[in-house]
Amino acid sequence: MGADTIELSALVGRLSRRYGQLRNLVMGGSVDPKVTGRTGLPLLAPFGGELAEMRGWAFGDRWIGCGAVRAGDGVQVVVLVAEPDAPPSEEPPEETVRVVPPRRGTRSDDARAWVRRVLDLTGWEPLGLSVDWATVEEELGVPLPADYKELAEAFGGGVFSESVSFMGCGASVSFDLPAQWRAGLSAARDGTYGGTFAAGPYDVYAPGGKGVVTWGSTEWADQYCWLIDAERPGHCPVLARSHDPGPWYRYDMSTAEFLHRVLTDPGFRPFGIAQYDLGVTFVPESAGRPL
């Protein structure tokens, strides 16, 4: 059992470095009572009550899982990919992009005001992190949104309301935006799991091209990204997609405004979480989470 435990721990570490924040679905034989089809339940279905451990990672519209299954007197380490069910025929095709018109412009002063609102909302004291943005943006080949950089310097990487992961720069690998972007680009290029990372009409952004860069996600596999076009540097609309197979939604608003509305506006559907009464908190990645 000891060897299997060490092997599972190492595997969890490797998958976390590639796919980011994990979700503990089964620990010590006990299933998380809050797990649903939105939060990784498909990974448990094949094993009945034989699971001793299971960790899950949201990856586009799939779940990646690894765990330990009881086998005789010991356990066997398993790795699996859970595919979504095919959407009903009346669902719009995945390539459809629904554009949500803005209610106002996104001038830099507006964006800074939304950063302050997120800080006030959480009661968070800005960390004032020093980030080498010049190096990050040189690698990407485009500038990142100014309000995102303010958020990253104030919060670092971490989790809002126990469910919304925010990627900073220079944080641990799971919450490091450049590291996760590189992993997604590598997976798309080498065909890992079919080459699917963002899916739909958008590829993962590659320097000099056009595509998506993910800056946030939820524990039920929603994706929050920017649509980046190297030919339009500085123009970074938010693209978001629900965990269910379906279209991307485009929001011509700042990153900070989108995040604030996700956390506070119950009518901000399908992405608002205020309707679930989770409260508004922030836990930095440095607080850590058990594997």
Side-chain angles (χ1 to χ4, degrees):
M1 173 119 184
D4 288 331
T5 302
I6 294 171
E7 182 181 351
L8 176 60
S9 176
L11 185 57
V12 167
R14 291 187 63 182
L15 291 174
S16 292
R17 286 191 291 274
R18 175 173 280 268
Y19 300 115
Q21 181 65 25
L22 64 81
R23 181 177 177 86
N24 291 307
L25 305 177
V26 180
M27 297 185 68
S30 298
V31 178
D32 179 353
K34 296 183 292 184
V35 67
T36 67
R38 293 165 58 90
T39 58
L41 187 61
L43 292 172
L44 311 186
F47 303 106
E50 299 303 313
L51 271 172
E53 305 286 337
M54 179 60 71
R55 312 289 182 262
W57 293 262
F59 184 69
D61 58 358
R62 305 175 180 183
W63 280 92
I64 311 298
C66 74
V69 181
R70 298 182 184 92
D73 295 331
V75 295
Q76 179 179 352
V77 173
V78 295
V79 178
L80 68 157
V81 178
E83 299 276 0
D85 294 330
S89 58
E90 65 269 17
E91 287 291 318
E94 188 161 357
E95 289 74 17
T96 300
V97 178
R98 295 177 181 171
V99 178
V100 179
R103 288 178 295 281
R104 66 183 68 79
T106 53
R107 302 187 308 272
S108 59
D109 55 340
D110 293 328
R112 283 194 293 269
W114 284 107
V115 171
R116 171 47 58 186
R117 291 183 188 184
V118 175
L119 286 166
D120 291 344
L121 184 67
T122 57
W124 184 256
E125 185 66 28
L127 297 176
L129 298 175
S130 177
V131 180
D132 185 357
W133 294 115
T135 297
V136 173
E137 292 173 334
E138 182 180 8
E139 182 180 9
L140 289 167
V142 290
L144 291 173
D147 68 310
Y148 162 76
K149 292 190 282 190
E150 289 189 41
L151 288 169
E153 290 171 358
F155 289 97
V159 180
F160 290 92
S161 299
E162 300 184 354
S163 58
V164 178
S165 294
F166 176 81
M167 295 185 191
C169 291
S172 67
V173 173
S174 296
F175 290 96
D176 182 60
L177 184 145
Q180 291 300 312
W181 166 67
R182 291 186 208 105
L185 185 60
S186 175
R189 285 172 168 170
D190 68 19
T192 302
Y193 299 112
T196 302
F197 182 75
Y202 302 111
D203 295 323
V204 178
Y205 170 78
K210 180 178 180 179
V212 298
V213 172
T214 300
W215 56 265
S217 62
T218 68
E219 65 175 16
W220 45 85
D222 290 352
Q223 289 175 270
Y224 304 150
C225 311
W226 300 297
L227 178 59
I228 293 181
D229 185 346
E231 295 186 358
R232 300 187 66 190
H235 182 67
C236 299
V238 173
L239 281 181
R241 188 174 68 169
S242 177
H243 66 286
D244 295 320
W248 287 93
Y249 290 73
R250 172 172 168 153
Y251 297 85
D252 289 305
M253 62 177 61
S254 71
T255 308
E257 179 179 356
F258 180 86
L259 179 60
H260 189 278
R261 295 193 181 281
V262 164
L263 298 173
T264 64
D265 185 354
F268 192 62
R269 303 197 177 207
F271 303 107
I273 67 169
Q275 59 186 307
Y276 303 124
D277 296 323
L278 299 174
V280 181
T281 59
F282 180 74
V283 177
E285 54 84 21
S286 56
R289 286 191 173 187
L291 296 181

